[in-house]
Amino acid sequence: MTTLRAITLLLFMVAATECKQCAFKAIFNFGDSNTDTGGFWAAFPAQAPPHGMTYFNKPVGRATDGRVVVDFLAQALELPFLSPYLQSIGSDYKHGANFATLASTVRFPQTSLFVTGVSPFSLEIQLRQMKEFKVKVDELPRKGKSNLPSPNIFGKSLYTFYIGQNDFTGNLARLGISGVKEFLPQVVSQIASTIKEIYALGGRTFWVLNLAPIGCYPAFLVQLPHNISDIDQFGCLISYNNAVVDYNNMLKAALAKTRKDLADANVVYVDTHTVLLELFQHPTSHGLRYGTKACCGYGGGLYNYNQQVLCGNTKQVNGKTVTAKACKDPQNYVSWDGIHATDAANKLTAYAILNGSYFDPPFPVHKYCDIQPIG
């Protein structure tokens, strides 16, 4: 596989010959911690170092050492970082909003955040927030300086979805693969219906990122029951990754049907699964060193992950006070904390997306925008 860095160089060479103003004036994002830019911590302030250490040099509400994928997409489209919808101070929504929050699910939660850690801001709630946002944009007059976009922005925006991981993994250890698979059709159906509702609001371009290979994540390698025979040559869980592929095929089929129903819309399936699987399996081919080992964690060994002491936390373990600390070189890791990707891995993933090779159907981004280099 051609290195993602080489693909990026080619991408920017093509973009340099285009030189056009970007057709997308805003990004509206729906998701979980993989693309949360501060929504959860705006609602429940508590994030501590070492999150944010690489790019921002402080915690900024992202579950990584630096930027998430949607940050890189915004940079490439020459848009500012997305302000969280839930952040009341210092937000600027002229170029979109981020409705994603850590621990969000597609399905409506059946329990409380304070019982199981599931976010109350499910996809249905995020959609309601989007609708309310549009109502306010349409109603409020544009007098003087405003942090809101023009009312005509919604048809000129990119709508991104990166959600579903928590639906898949939340009960995986308890229910097993077969138990989780029973409600996955509801997940893909909810995503498809959400796209249709946003289409009714004026949205026309939708990118839906599929589910990552959770069988390669340090946290799930530690937490999920498995036999040694279920580990492949790259150290990933075969059965769980196969289940993810089944879900992704279901999502792809649902989006194909949605595409037929919305003939004048771009409903694009984005295969980030393949990109991340490549990074986990061959990290050194892409300038990284560690695939299935977390940068920020406790315990060392193959995975450096202990579910009793998550990244940045200090706990008592076997009568001893321990802290899950960050490594000194997160730029060499795929996994930040056992569950989320590093700034470096997110950057490579964004490179691959912008190249266009992982879209179905094909979507030539460079024909819509002059893609900017990512710093």
Side-chain angles (χ1 to χ4, degrees):
M1 182 178 184
T2 306
T3 68
L4 299 179
R5 294 180 188 277
I7 287 175
T8 304
L9 178 61
L10 178 61
L11 167 67
F12 293 139
M13 288 173 63
V14 172
T17 65
E18 297 290 331
C19 292
K20 62 172 68 64
Q21 191 176 19
C22 187
F24 301 121
K25 307 304 179 186
I27 298 175
F28 291 96
N29 182 65
F30 303 83
D32 52 31
S33 54
N34 290 309
T35 53
D36 184 358
T37 55
F40 183 88
W41 298 111
F44 307 100
Q47 194 183 39
H51 298 288
M53 62 179 274
T54 297
Y55 183 81
F56 300 99
N57 299 312
K58 63 179 181 180
V60 288
R62 291 158 172 80
T64 183
D65 60 307
R67 293 156 291 183
V68 294
V69 170
V70 74
D71 287 323
F72 290 109
L73 296 180
Q75 284 185 304
L77 301 183
E78 212 168 1
L79 296 172
F81 290 151
L82 297 185
S83 291
Y85 175 81
L86 294 171
Q87 182 175 284
S88 58
I89 300 173
S91 289
D92 187 340
Y93 302 114
K94 290 192 290 293
H95 297 283
N98 193 357
F99 302 97
T101 68
L102 180 149
S104 285
T105 53
V106 173
R107 298 196 308 158
F108 199 82
Q110 302 300 312
T111 183
S112 165
L113 167 71
F114 303 105
V115 176
T116 61
V118 177
S119 170
F121 304 107
S122 65
L123 183 58
E124 171 62 27
I125 299 301
Q126 293 179 28
L127 174 62
R128 293 181 196 177
Q129 292 171 336
M130 173 70 204
K131 290 179 176 179
E132 181 66 12
F133 182 87
K134 186 176 187 304
V135 167
K136 296 301 183 186
V137 169
D138 290 342
E139 286 181 352
L140 294 175
R142 299 277 132 359
K143 292 183 179 178
K145 189 176 182 179
S146 171
N147 69 340
L148 295 177
S150 167
N152 68 358
I153 197 77
F154 300 100
K156 304 174 182 178
S157 299
L158 173 63
Y159 297 84
T160 53
F161 296 78
Y162 197 3
I163 191 168
Q165 181 172 309
N166 294 315
D167 296 89
F168 192 95
T169 63
N171 293 302
L172 194 52
R174 182 172 63 88
L175 299 178
I177 292 171
S178 59
V180 168
K181 279 188 171 182
E182 290 183 9
F183 58 75
L184 293 182
Q186 300 172 32
V187 174
V188 298
S189 176
Q190 184 75 25
I191 292 173
S193 65
T194 301
I195 289 172
K196 290 181 178 179
E197 294 211 43
I198 296 175
Y199 175 89
L201 299 177
R204 288 298 180 270
T205 302
F206 307 88
W207 290 1
V208 184
L209 282 61
N210 65 3
L211 189 60
I214 61 101
C216 297
Y217 282 34
F220 302 120
L221 281 160
V222 171
Q223 294 175 358
L224 296 176
H226 62 275
N227 298 317
I228 191 66
S229 59
D230 197 29
I231 300 288
D232 67 16
Q233 61 180 311
F234 304 104
C236 299
L237 294 166
I238 299 169
S239 60
Y240 294 99
N241 275 350
N242 286 344
V244 169
V245 170
D246 290 341
Y247 166 81
N248 285 339
N249 287 336
M250 191 187 306
L251 175 64
K252 188 175 183 178
L255 294 178
K257 184 178 184 304
T258 305
R259 198 176 302 121
K260 291 180 180 178
D261 295 338
L262 307 176
D264 63 334
N266 295 305
V267 180
V268 184
Y269 172 85
V270 186
D271 187 16
T272 46
H273 174 276
T274 294
V275 179
L276 284 165
L277 187 62
E278 168 67 17
L279 293 180
F280 277 114
Q281 291 180 342
H282 305 105
T284 57
S285 297
H286 306 285
L288 307 174
R289 290 183 63 189
Y290 307 104
T292 56
K293 183 177 182 178
C295 165
C296 186
Y298 171 75
L302 287 176
Y303 309 124
N304 191 36
Y305 181 85
N306 185 315
Q307 60 193 46
Q308 294 179 275
V309 196
L310 301 181
C311 177
N313 290 351
T314 298
K315 295 282 182 67
Q316 286 282 331
V317 177
N318 299 324
K320 180 182 178 182
T321 301
V322 299
T323 300
K325 298 179 180 179
C327 63
K328 295 180 180 179
D329 56 342
Q331 72 276 8
N332 288 322
Y333 288 73
V334 177
S335 178
W336 164 240
D337 58 359
I339 302 172
H340 307 99
T342 58
D343 179 279
N346 285 328
K347 186 175 187 177
L348 291 169
T349 301
Y351 282 162
I353 293 172
L354 294 165
N355 167 257
S357 300
Y358 299 92
F359 288 135
D360 183 46
F363 187 86
V365 187
H366 65 276
K367 291 186 178 179
Y368 288 81
C369 298
D370 180 9
I371 305 299
Q372 302 300 307
I374 298 171

